[in-house]
Amino acid sequence: MLRFILRRLLQMVLAFFGTTLIVYALMFAGQGDPIQALAGERPVTAAQRAYLTEKYHLDATGVGGFFYRYLNYLGGLLRGDLGQSLTGRQIGDILAAAWPVTVKLAVIAMAVTILVGVTAGVIAGIRRAGVFDHATLVLTLLVLGIPTIVLAPLAQYFLGVRWPIFPPTAGAQPSLWALLLPGIVLGSLSLATALRLTRTSVSENLRADYVRTARSKGLVRRRIVGVHVLRNSLIPVVTFLGVELGNLMSGAIITEGVFNIPGVGFNLFRGIRTEDGPLVVGIVSVLVVVYLLSNLVVDVLYAVLDPRIRYE
């Protein structure tokens, strides 16, 4: 198991260097004036130009200068120095204020996905071709067919404005109650996918040879499903949930924007809209690390659920 984890850590380090190199290269690719590329169409003051030149070592030119700038950028990233946005605020301070909100939102979305999606998927898989199975398939198909950019405003209008069950916006210091509706909206697509994935996995394992063998030995259905079927059925589900956690942590741009939630996605969208290059690059670099760590956790959990994977 230790060798398996070390191998995954090595792969994660290589992926980290590769993705950060791509992010940094795209930031300056094909631009005659890299400072103006960072600022977009915004006017750049002399103080901002001097700061960006010093921060990104833009006075170094050529291929060697590019890798020199990249190594300096990478060193700052490893030290936790993400620099300043074009507004003069430290990007680390922006993320420190935004992460707790996004983590709460992602936890709510993940809890809804697991409690509702996985549970309903297990029931639908056990009662395959029944009324509940058909109903969940139709509902998940409807949810998957509605993009978040449509679902979020609809939920906000009907459940926050027309029928004021939830607060229509979260505000600067959102409570868990204010984040509940956005969390449900954010986790709706994950819920539908997890439900269908769990349902398919459970129904396939119920027809497996080891289940027939267990029945022939006289094991009760509850033990067969609870001990044997669920353990094997959860392998693809855990993989999906682990990767989806990284998506929820960073892919809440639309949800946070609609409900005015000051999270990571909201700040990333603001950086894109205001063409704040350093802010966008800093947030994206941190999100790369989040994705890599979530994938590492998924790999470890996968190996725990299926020991055969450790020796591949």
Side-chain angles (χ1 to χ4, degrees):
M1 187 63 172
L2 181 60
R3 292 177 59 189
F4 174 82
I5 296 176
L6 291 176
R7 188 166 63 248
R8 289 294 184 266
L9 283 173
L10 179 59
Q11 294 173 355
M12 187 181 74
V13 170
L14 295 176
F16 171 77
F17 283 113
T19 50
T20 52
L21 178 62
I22 292 173
V23 170
Y24 190 82
L26 290 176
M27 181 173 59
F28 297 106
Q31 302 291 340
D33 186 357
I35 295 179
Q36 197 62 52
L38 285 171
E41 298 180 357
R42 299 173 50 175
V44 182
T45 65
Q48 288 177 334
R49 181 173 290 273
Y51 165 75
L52 292 176
T53 301
E54 179 183 0
K55 169 64 181 176
Y56 294 101
H57 300 275
L58 299 178
D59 50 350
T61 59
V63 178
F66 168 78
F67 283 103
Y68 174 76
R69 295 194 302 268
Y70 168 70
L71 292 176
N72 279 278
Y73 155 79
L74 191 62
L77 183 62
L78 294 176
R79 293 193 304 269
D81 180 15
L82 300 175
Q84 295 180 349
S85 68
L86 293 182
T87 61
R89 188 180 177 188
Q90 290 291 332
I91 298 175
D93 295 339
I94 296 175
L95 287 175
W99 271 119
V101 180
T102 298
V103 168
K104 291 178 183 178
L105 186 64
V107 168
I108 292 174
M110 184 59 64
V112 171
T113 300
I114 295 175
L115 294 177
V116 180
V118 176
T119 303
V122 172
I123 298 174
I126 295 174
R127 301 179 180 179
R128 185 172 179 270
V131 176
F132 184 82
D133 183 27
H134 292 306
T136 54
L137 289 178
V138 172
L139 290 176
T140 53
L141 184 62
L142 291 175
V143 172
L144 292 173
I146 304 176
T148 306
I149 196 172
V150 176
L151 184 61
L154 287 177
Q156 184 185 47
Y157 173 72
F158 284 106
L159 299 179
V161 178
R162 187 166 183 178
W163 301 305
I165 302 175
F166 300 97
T169 57
Q173 299 292 334
S175 62
L176 288 177
W177 177 250
L179 293 175
L180 183 58
L181 179 59
I184 294 174
V185 172
L186 180 62
S188 59
L189 296 180
S190 302
L191 185 154
T193 306
L195 193 155
R196 295 173 74 94
L197 182 62
T198 306
R199 179 255 182 196
T200 302
S201 184
V202 170
S203 62
E204 288 180 354
N205 278 282
L206 284 174
R207 298 193 298 269
D209 293 336
Y210 71 87
V211 173
R212 287 192 290 268
T213 302
R215 288 173 180 167
S216 66
K217 292 182 177 180
L219 294 180
V220 296
R221 181 178 177 84
R222 179 180 301 177
R223 180 173 178 80
I224 294 175
V225 173
V227 176
H228 301 285
V229 174
L230 284 183
R231 181 182 178 91
N232 291 283
S233 301
L234 286 178
I235 293 177
V237 178
V238 168
T239 304
F240 167 76
L241 292 177
V243 175
E244 195 64 16
L245 180 60
N247 294 332
L248 294 176
M249 294 281 285
S250 59
I253 297 178
I254 296 174
T255 305
E256 292 183 356
V258 170
F259 290 95
N260 194 28
I261 301 172
V264 175
F266 180 83
N267 284 280
L268 179 59
F269 175 72
R270 186 183 64 181
I272 296 172
R273 185 183 58 192
T274 60
E275 298 180 331
D276 193 333
L279 178 61
V280 174
V281 172
I283 293 178
V284 171
S285 299
V286 175
L287 294 181
V288 167
V289 178
V290 172
Y291 271 109
L292 293 175
L293 290 177
S294 64
N295 286 330
L296 176 64
V297 173
V298 168
D299 288 338
V300 174
L301 290 177
Y302 210 112
V304 171
L305 291 173
D306 190 352
R308 295 172 298 177
I309 300 174
R310 308 175 197 175
Y311 306 106
E312 292 181 354

